[in-house]
Amino acid sequence: MLYHAYQACTDALLPLRLAADGTHRWLGHLRTLDLDARSIHQPLGAACEVFVRTALTHRRPAFGIERVVSGGREVEVVEEVAYATPFGELLRFGKPGCEAQPKVLVVAPMSGHFATLLRDTVRALLPDHDVYITDWLNARDVPLSAGRFGLDEYVEHLIRFLERMGPGSHLVGVCQPCVAALAAAALMAEDDHPAQPRSLTLMAGPVDCRISPTRVNELATGRPIEWFERTLISTVPLQHRGAMRRVYPGFLQLTAFMSMNPDRHLNAFLGMYNCLAAGRLEQARATQAFYEEYF
């Protein structure tokens, strides 16, 4: 029932968020007309804007990588879908006119946020590589008829993506997909698969969780697997295309992330409000941009 309760709350708050957004825009126009009104209405406008920005988004933002310097010259970057399944797309950042470069697959986490969180990683790799990334789709929009998506299917997707890219590709797993990336590379090596990755890089993802256990590891080992299934797995509400699909909702993952550093996030939003209320818009923009992506 967790997902349904979240959806009901989100639906109930939508009119308030729309009203707050309208009020913020109206006050913004008022401030441009009346200098004295700026100090009176700016705090209210800041409060409305902060309230609007606490909402979660379920649509992937743009990567926004249009050009990059490669081979000593600036070239255009073109996003293209190289391969697609109901659960995700193999997205390529093509560079028309560039010489052939080593291919690398960046495996983004499928854990409550979009692949665009790795935008800077992609941008850093682009000058010297032919970059691909796993662009996972929102599970709530995948109909039940598409079948299940568990760890086995995750690994199979990575193998299929590498097959599509061809021999000699490099594989980079970031955070959550490190285990799946390791499994895919191991299986392909065991089978002497022609498309097995030339190299494997695992970043910020635990492989042996017994080493240097964190609070997350302690929680994972402190309760039986049935508790997690019963407590954290929910079904997608009926208004979405993936209705009745059993998922671990992204809002729960985000809540878990934020609960690890609640003071940090609270202070960030308080700081954003203070900056907006004081008219220090440039200072507020950095926080706004981060949470637009994070949420």
Side-chain angles (χ1 to χ4, degrees):
M1 298 299 294
L2 282 173
Y3 204 152
H4 296 270
Y6 161 78
Q7 190 65 55
C9 182
T10 300
D11 294 343
L13 286 175
L14 180 59
L16 294 178
R17 294 195 193 281
L18 292 174
D21 186 50
T23 302
H24 164 251
R25 295 175 185 275
W26 178 74
L27 290 173
H29 289 303
L30 187 63
R31 287 198 301 270
T32 62
L33 299 175
D34 185 358
L35 187 63
D36 294 331
R38 191 174 302 169
S39 60
I40 300 173
H41 297 291
Q42 210 152 264
L44 177 58
C48 290
E49 184 169 357
V50 169
F51 175 64
V52 170
R53 290 183 181 278
T54 59
L56 305 188
T57 178
H58 298 277
R59 295 182 180 179
R60 176 175 72 73
F63 277 93
I65 304 174
E66 298 179 352
R67 305 190 72 81
V68 68
V69 176
S70 180
R73 61 189 180 92
E74 188 177 69
V75 297
E76 181 185 11
V77 177
V78 179
E79 292 182 28
E80 54 190 19
V81 177
Y83 183 68
T85 80
F87 295 97
E89 296 175 343
L90 176 61
L91 190 64
R92 183 191 181 198
F93 296 87
K95 293 175 292 187
C98 280
E99 296 181 1
Q101 293 177 316
K103 291 175 285 188
V104 58
L105 172 60
V106 178
V107 187
M110 188 186 190
S111 54
H113 54 73
F114 293 108
T116 46
L117 272 186
L118 298 181
R119 181 185 292 109
D120 290 340
T121 304
V122 172
R123 186 181 283 114
L125 288 168
L126 269 172
D128 304 303
H129 297 83
D130 186 2
V131 182
Y132 295 73
I133 195 169
T134 58
D135 191 15
W136 303 115
L137 304 183
N138 193 333
R140 76 171 194 175
D141 298 324
V142 182
L144 280 175
S145 59
R148 72 186 299 274
F149 191 93
L151 181 59
D152 289 347
E153 288 74 22
Y154 199 134
V155 173
E156 288 173 1
H157 269 66
L158 299 188
I159 294 174
R160 288 159 68 182
F161 287 166
L162 287 166
E163 288 174 341
R164 182 55 59 115
M165 292 170 60
S169 302
H170 300 271
L171 181 60
V172 178
V174 183
C175 195
Q176 178 249 9
C178 282
V179 170
L182 177 60
L187 288 170
M188 296 177 80
E190 183 179 37
D191 295 339
D192 197 22
H193 197 297
Q196 62 181 290
R198 176 167 293 184
S199 72
L200 172 65
T201 304
L202 305 179
M203 301 173 62
V207 173
D208 188 342
C209 296
R210 299 169 299 179
I211 307 301
S212 301
T214 64
R215 290 170 56 193
V216 176
N217 300 133
E218 292 168 359
L219 172 64
T221 57
R223 296 181 182 274
I225 192 66
E226 292 78 15
W227 180 88
F228 291 95
E229 185 174 15
R230 183 174 63 255
T231 307
L232 301 180
I233 302 301
S234 188
T235 56
V236 177
L238 294 176
Q239 64 258 54
H240 301 297
R241 292 185 63 212
M244 303 309 294
R245 176 176 292 280
R246 298 177 73 247
V247 297
Y248 170 45
F251 73 87
L252 279 181
Q253 180 72 14
L254 180 62
T255 302
F257 281 148
M258 298 188 70
S259 68
M260 297 176 69
N261 298 284
D263 293 340
R264 173 186 173 187
H265 295 290
L266 182 61
N267 290 333
F269 273 93
L270 182 60
M272 179 168 63
Y273 167 78
N274 289 332
C275 288
L276 290 171
R280 300 193 300 271
L281 302 184
E282 287 304 315
Q283 287 182 259
R285 294 300 174 234
T287 305
Q288 291 171 344
F290 173 79
Y291 282 101
E292 281 180 2
E293 195 78 60
Y294 197 63
F295 285 176

